[in-house]
């Protein structure tokens, strides 16, 4: 008895439980009846045909049509309405080597180069994304941008406030690698293609120490005040609980390694010789010169403060790297030599002694020759003469 409705097979004798028998024919007249699940898909039907129907087995690529409409692979068998006497048509086809929807702007290379180009493009996208994230992070942790934020906030006094102290620790941690200017690569790394940091811990701490001193001195300068050693000690003691690991000893070591950029002076007149350096005055309490301090100094323009910060950073990296290279060149005969903080301090002190000895030897001798303008130093045990005595 025939039934009406939406079942796939109107003939109940061909349906049993959750399966249904479907008739499939080829263009040459060959046919077969195959039983599949109602919950299956056209893809499942094609797999069943390949394993049991010779025309399907001999045609690796074929499509199924029903009443002139191609059936989608994801279509479920139960969604197709087939009446009694209906059948599906198997149509073989030759699959092209190229994809069905090729990109119009790309050439048609062979299979292997195409996959290689795809991998290269994915690598470039990942690299560009990584560079973009890195640039954004560098901008967020830039010392100049951090100082601008501090000056715009309500807590301008020596990075006070939880938000400023936490951000300060993050900025210092992001600037603990000695990188080459313009390339942002670690100068201590032997791998030319790697951006990873190979700096020893003492060098990382030295970079953090300079970054802090550069920020601290710029903040004090922007407020129109002087940079005293006692003020630095109080600030570092307070910031130690916020993750800032810079200490007073680190500052002293840095002033020995890079005296042209970081200088601790004991005389106010000595500061004239270090105009472009971070000058820390260590004579306020020691010499009892509190009364000599001149309050209310004019505040410099912020643009000048920020520009000085960048120049000091460039000078510091150059001087520190030159010192490390000089030490490595001196010990080039030693195998497996590594630069340590102790070696750098000894090397810096030896260089200072050599310079002082050379200056002493140059200063010895008689009075300068007549007509010479190279030296204005008077001979020892001489007395000034009156015009008549001359």
């Amino acid at each position: 008895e025939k039934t009406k409705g939406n079942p796939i097979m109107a003939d109940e004798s061909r349906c049993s439980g959750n399966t249904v028998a479907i008739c499939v024919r080829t263009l040459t007249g060959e046919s077969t009846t195959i039983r599949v699940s109602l919950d299956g898909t056209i893809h499942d039907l094609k797999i069943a045909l390949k394993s049991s129907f010779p025309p399907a087995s001999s045609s690796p690529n074929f499509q199924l049509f029903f009443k002139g409409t191609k059936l989608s692979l994801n279509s479920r068998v139960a969604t197709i309405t087939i009446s009694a006497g209906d059948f599906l048509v198997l149509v073989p086809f030759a699959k092209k080597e190229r994809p069905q929807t090729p990109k119009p702007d790309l050439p048609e290379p062979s299979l292997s180069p195409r996959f290689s180009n795809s991998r290269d493009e994915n690598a470039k996208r990942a690299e560009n994304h990584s560079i973009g994230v890195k640039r954004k992070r560098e901008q967020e942790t830039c010392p100049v941008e951090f100082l601008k934020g501090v000056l715009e906030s309500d807590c301008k006094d020596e990075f006070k406030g939880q938000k400023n102290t936490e951000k300060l620790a993050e900025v210092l941690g992001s600037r603990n690698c000695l990188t080459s200017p313009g390339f942002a690569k670690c100068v201590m790394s032997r791998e030319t293609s790697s951006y990873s940091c190979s700096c020893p811990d003492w060098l990382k701490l030295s970079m953090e120490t300079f970054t802090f001193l550069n920020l601290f001195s710029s903040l004090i300068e922007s407020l129109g005040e002087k940079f005293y050693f006692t003020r630095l000690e109080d600030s570092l003691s307070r910031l130690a609980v916020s993750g800032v690991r810079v200490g007073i000893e680190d500052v002293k070591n840095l002033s020995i390694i890079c005296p042209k950029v970081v200088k601790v002076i004991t005389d106010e007149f000595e500061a004239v010789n270090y105009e472009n350096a971070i000058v820390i005055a260590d004579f306020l309490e020691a010499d009892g010169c509190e009364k000599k301090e001149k309050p209310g100094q004019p505040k410099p323009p912020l643009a000048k403060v920020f520009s000085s910060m960048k120049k000091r950073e460039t000078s510091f990296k150059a001087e520190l790297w030159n010192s490390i290279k000089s030490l490595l060149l001196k010990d080039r005969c030693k195998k497996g030599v590594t630069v340590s903080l102790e070696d750098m301090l000894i090397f810096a002190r030896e260089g200072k002694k050599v310079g002082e000895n050379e200056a002493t030897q140059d200063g010895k001798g008689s009075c300068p020759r007549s007509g010479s303008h190279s030296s204005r130093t008077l001979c020892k045990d001489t007395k000034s003469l009156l015009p008549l005595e001359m």
Side-chain angles (χ1 to χ4, degrees):
E1 183 181 353
K2 307 295 182 180
T3 58
K4 297 181 180 180
N6 292 329
I8 294 178
M9 277 297 180
D11 191 351
E12 289 185 353
S13 62
R14 306 186 68 179
C15 299
S16 62
N18 292 328
T19 62
V20 62
I22 298 179
C23 180
V24 179
R25 292 184 183 179
T26 65
L27 297 176
T28 56
E30 299 173 277
S31 64
T32 185
T33 300
I34 189 167
R35 186 172 293 276
V36 294
S37 173
L38 289 170
D39 296 330
T41 62
I42 298 299
H43 179 69
D44 299 331
L45 176 59
K46 292 181 66 175
I47 293 176
L49 287 171
K50 285 184 178 182
S51 61
S52 60
F53 192 34
S57 303
S58 60
S59 301
N61 301 308
F62 65 89
Q63 295 172 344
L64 295 176
F65 287 81
F66 177 63
K67 295 183 178 179
T69 302
K70 184 176 70 173
L71 300 179
S72 174
L73 294 177
N74 297 326
S75 299
R76 292 182 57 197
V77 175
T79 61
I80 304 172
T81 304
I82 301 179
S83 303
D86 291 339
F87 54 88
L88 305 184
V89 180
L90 186 151
V91 180
F93 70 94
K95 189 175 181 180
K96 297 181 181 179
E97 293 184 2
R98 293 282 299 166
Q100 295 183 5
T101 55
K103 294 183 179 180
D105 57 335
L106 293 179
E108 295 187 6
S110 59
L111 190 60
S112 297
R114 179 163 57 89
F115 288 147
S116 177
N117 293 338
S118 177
R119 286 195 299 269
D120 293 341
E121 291 177 2
N122 293 335
K124 288 181 180 179
R125 292 194 197 100
E127 183 179 359
N128 293 336
H129 176 72
S130 177
I131 293 175
V133 172
K134 184 177 180 181
R135 287 178 179 174
K136 183 178 179 181
R137 175 173 173 78
E138 287 180 352
Q139 186 176 5
E140 292 175 351
T141 57
C142 175
V144 174
E145 296 298 327
F146 170 71
L147 184 58
K148 289 180 181 179
V150 172
L151 295 175
E152 293 173 358
S153 65
D154 297 331
C155 301
K156 298 181 181 180
D157 188 11
E158 302 176 13
F159 310 129
K160 288 183 179 178
Q162 182 179 2
K163 183 178 180 180
N164 285 339
T165 54
E166 292 178 354
K167 188 66 177 178
L168 175 63
E170 183 181 355
V171 171
L172 298 183
S174 66
R175 297 282 166 166
N176 61 0
C177 179
L178 181 57
T179 56
S180 56
F183 296 96
K185 290 186 178 181
C186 179
V187 297
M188 303 298 292
S189 177
R190 296 182 179 179
E191 298 180 6
T192 57
S193 60
S194 175
Y195 285 86
S196 59
C197 179
S198 300
C199 297
D201 188 64
W202 71 266
L203 184 54
K204 292 183 179 181
L205 184 56
S206 298
M207 294 298 300
E208 293 182 26
T209 302
F210 169 78
T211 303
F212 174 79
L213 291 176
N214 201 16
L215 280 168
F216 196 75
S217 62
S218 299
L219 176 62
I220 294 176
E221 181 185 358
S222 66
L223 299 176
E225 301 173 2
K226 287 187 177 181
F227 191 1
Y228 287 101
F229 207 84
T230 53
R231 187 171 182 177
L232 176 64
E233 289 179 317
D234 296 339
S235 181
L236 288 178
S237 299
R238 177 173 49 81
L239 292 172
V241 298
S242 302
V244 177
R245 61 173 186 163
V246 178
I248 288 297
E249 288 300 321
D250 303 319
V251 176
K252 293 180 179 179
N253 292 336
L254 203 61
S255 66
I256 297 174
I257 298 174
C258 298
K260 294 182 181 179
V261 183
V262 180
K263 184 65 179 178
V264 179
I265 62 173
T266 56
D267 190 329
E268 188 171 2
F269 298 100
E270 192 179 355
V272 180
N273 301 324
Y274 301 95
E275 183 179 358
N276 297 322
I278 299 176
V279 179
I280 310 173
D282 192 19
F283 56 81
L284 185 63
E285 294 182 351
D287 299 336
C289 299
E290 292 90 343
K291 296 181 181 180
K292 292 185 179 181
E293 184 179 358
K294 298 178 181 180
Q297 295 182 359
K299 297 181 180 180
L302 292 181
K304 182 179 179 181
V305 175
F306 299 146
S307 177
S308 299
M309 283 183 63
K310 296 178 181 179
K311 290 180 180 179
R312 284 195 294 263
E313 182 178 3
T314 303
S315 301
F316 169 74
K317 288 183 177 181
E319 184 181 1
L320 182 58
W321 177 231
N322 287 334
S323 300
I324 294 175
K325 286 193 297 183
S326 299
L327 180 58
L328 291 173
L329 185 64
K330 177 184 176 183
D331 298 336
R332 65 183 183 276
C333 296
K334 299 179 181 179
K335 294 183 179 180
V337 63
T338 57
V339 180
S340 65
L341 177 60
E342 290 74 16
D343 295 334
M344 287 295 297
L345 293 174
I346 295 173
F347 181 70
R349 291 190 180 101
E350 289 178 351
K352 183 178 179 181
K353 289 180 180 179
V354 171
E356 291 176 350
N357 293 336
E358 291 178 353
T360 303
Q361 293 177 0
D362 293 341
K364 290 181 179 180
S366 59
C367 296
R369 298 176 182 177
S370 175
S372 174
H373 299 280
S374 61
S375 176
R376 297 293 181 182
T377 305
L378 295 176
C379 297
K380 294 183 179 180
D381 300 328
T382 59
K383 297 178 181 180
S384 58
L385 301 177
L386 296 176
L388 183 60
E389 293 174 333
M390 291 181 182

